Amino acid sequence: MTAGTGIGARVPRREDKRFLTGTGRYVDDLPLARATYAYFLRSPHAHAKIKTIDTTAAKAMPGVVEIFTGKDTAESKMGGLICGWVVKDKNGEPHKAPAHPVMALDTVRYVGDTVAMVVANSIDEAKDAAEAIKVDYDVKPANVDLAHALDKGAPEVHPEAPGNLIYDWEIGVKADVEAAFAKAAHVTKLDIVNNRLIPNAMEPRAAAAEYDKGTGNYTLWSTSQNPHVLRLILSAFVLGIPEHKLRVVAPDVGGGFGSKIFCYNEETMVCWAASRVGRPIKWTAERSESFMTDAHGRDHVTHAELAMDKEGKFLALKVETIANMGAYLSTFSTAVPTYLYATLLAGQYTTPLIYANVKAAVTHTAPVDAYRGAGRPEATFVIESIVSKAAVEMKMDTADLRRKNFIPTEAFPYQTPVALQYDSGNYPPIIDEAIKISDYKGFEARRAEAKSRGKLRGIGFSSYIEACGLAPSNVVGSLGAGVGQWESAQIKFNPTGNVQVMTGAHSHGQGHETTFAQLIHDKLGVPMDQIEIVHGDTATTPFGMGTYGSRSLAVGGSAIMKATDKIIAKGKKVAAHLMEADVADVEFENGTFKVAGTDKSVPLGQVVFAAYVPHNYPLAEVEPGMDENAFYDPANFVYPSGTQICEVEIDPETGEVEVIAHTAVDDFGNIINPMIVEGQVHGGIVQGVGQALMEAAVYDKTTGQLTSGSYMDYTMPRADNFPSFKLGYKTTPCPHNPLGVKGCGEAGAIAAPAAVMNAVRDALAPLGIKHVEMPATSLNIWQTIQGAHRAAA
Amino acid sequence: MTGTHVGCDTSQCGACVVEIDGKSVKSCTILAVQVEGSKVTTIEGLAPSADKLHPMQEAFRDNHALQCGFCTPGMVMSAIDMVKRNNYQLDEATVRRELEGNLCRCTGYHNIVKAILAAAPAMKSAGV
Ligand code: FES
Ligand code: FES
């Protein structure tokens, strides 16, 4: 290994040059000859029957090539979009699966639902024509308010889901939990809302497609986090184009955060229409369309209770949650509030008994699915909010109460009462380090100083656990997943010694082209500039599951390591022949094969050359070529953990919350590129703080109009909302993958909301305020403070 | 040219920032005819040569100030103008305040701020 570029080094990213010089290639950048442009006419109503759609006038508009509606897709027998995870309810029945047509047929179910697709020579002509389409709607009452979505008499979203209930699911034994509550010395209760968010990747979703009449092949370029999975869904369920006749390319993609995992209406239509139009079609969402139609995140209403003995030892936890699915079940939506949420409710604690009941509801709002953290931020928010509240009620130090209940280091592997077995962890040094970095001990002095300036200062903790590195296929299969969750890699040497590494993972900002190259460099000794990482194209990479759930390194990196093992094993045989030695005596180190105990050696490059020009080669025993692939299916999830501490100051006059300091100490196992890992933590923290303090997707409760549909109304975190962050690490390597790594992509967003809100509640406690909901905007805080004043008066 | 990006329809994200006559401007607010006779520099025109980057580009790379790269062209163009406007002297609070017109969803801004602070003296000594 060359020092400074292998595992553990802060290698500057190889992909940066193209992004910094404006030469990145995103979907919208593609030059496609004779392209047409698509525009989607969308429902202005949350719930309506479509009486008629008249496209006659629109079709006669200048530049219009074609207009398609649900009638056309129905006639072509297009399948509906699917939800790929079957969750079984309390009684073992599969969840309700309402139809999800790609184009609305006779009903629209949220503002933004797709009604017609206009294809024209230019985007302006397409938009003009869309305005000329006449749709006669019969507007119906909408079911918008989640807290009442399951009430008797709430407007029905789908006939297939009576009472708007998709499933009523549970985990744990309720009677045992109730028995523990009956014996508790103290019970802390919490009602809490996890606010709905809009992912807002800076690159809007886009799709472009081309059909080759000669071969019958389709190419779809899509802003996808998982091109192979998208192709599989389109082929097997929706369009019926065989997989080998459909190539899906996800080139440079400008952020995803989950929202680009799913199979969407627009890319489906663009692909389908390409052969009908006979010219390439391009579509790029406008930001207002992203707000309306990207799958949203979170949106839970929860009641939780924690039972303790008189020393503060947790005895049992019970949680009741209503989760919003939106109008249709998006690709992985059903798994998020169940297997990615309730199974995490043990957190870092030894709570022996847990019961959770989750009811999933459909509403007349955009579909809701995985968003950075997916279920795990919601779980962490519940646990860490109730633990902090319990500490206040028990008059205990918030850190001490956590420590008292931590899973002891010697107890790993640790079986929780909610299905997961944590593989490794060591929580006390993490919280200690966070306390040190944040100077928790000096906090009361800072609080007093702030008070002298008329400010309310608060501090909040959040000790999270997450299960990521998705996922062991047999486990997710037994829980209802429709796919496996392994990852693939192919290492293809060229005769001149450089190497292409194909991965089934996909980078949309995570820096795989650097991190994965570091692995190859470290393991095989190939110089960095001789390594190319290839991803995002079903035509050039082996089938892979894509990037989400902090899985790329833990699963995709492990596949790469497996493939390097195969390269070395084969290389040894060739090298043994070249050095006239016994293969058992050949060792590989720093890019060179050696015969143990001698000075005989042959570099990998020479072995590769011999494999492609096999003149002097053991052809009877070894095939020519140096090209190996591997599939890696993880033995377990990986379990990153950490503690964040947030310190805020509130101006009681204006309600404004300022984040003064934010500390994160994480255990991500071994780290390949610390610079990239820090970037992931920073970005995650900001999304988490954004959720806590500013972001909220708001629908008008009567009309179902999205009132936070632009950057004027949806507050995005900006640079001046934050201080610089303080980070620290502790390392317990993952025991079951070859790199000893855990995931780092979601941790920041998982832990931050509870840390911030615990700090806000701590700051407001002197006013007698016990609870504040997210987002803690200045208006929200100001109103809460006014309410407290009125109550006190 | 496709380096400059469109990230919104309300002139708020800053992904579209270019330099017009030495000043950074959100290009989504300008019609092509309005820049008749002006000097326009986009992200493509910054690097002095094929293998040399502008100090701001360099600082973004060294400090990992970009992830998906979508906001980056606008960020870099805004940052250069910010450094010049402040006479190559910046502190963290100023950088954060003046980045108000640029959204990034990936980096959490931390490393962008670091990069701009590092680029200011580098730009000064490079005379750009
Ligand atoms: S495109 Fe968003 S500000 Fe110009
Ligand atoms: S790097 Fe992705 S939006 Fe800034």
Side-chain angles (χ1 to χ4, degrees), chain A residues 13 17 20 26 287 717-718, chain B residues 7 50 57 67-68 100 109:
Chain A
R13 295 202 322 173
K17 186 168 178 201
L20 282 164
Y26 300 85
R287 180 57 58 186
R718 291 178 188 265
Chain B
Q57 291 170 315
Q67 291 181 23
C68 78
E100 205 247 346
Y109 304 102

Side-chain angles (χ1 to χ4, degrees), chain A residues 13 200-203 253-255 257 508-509, chain B residues 65-72 75 103-107 112:
Chain A
R13 295 202 322 173
N200 268 301
M202 289 316 296
E203 179 203 26
V253 172
F257 316 110
H508 28 282
Chain B
L66 60 152
Q67 291 181 23
C68 78
F70 198 79
C71 71
T72 310
M75 280 287 176
L103 292 176
C104 173
R105 193 55 152 170
C106 297
T107 63
I112 293 178

Side-chain angles (χ1 to χ4, degrees), chain A residues 212-227:
Chain A
D212 184 329
K213 241 192 354 216
T215 59
N217 290 346
Y218 290 79
T219 305
L220 170 66
W221 292 268
S222 167
T223 49
S224 174
Q225 298 179 212
N226 43 347

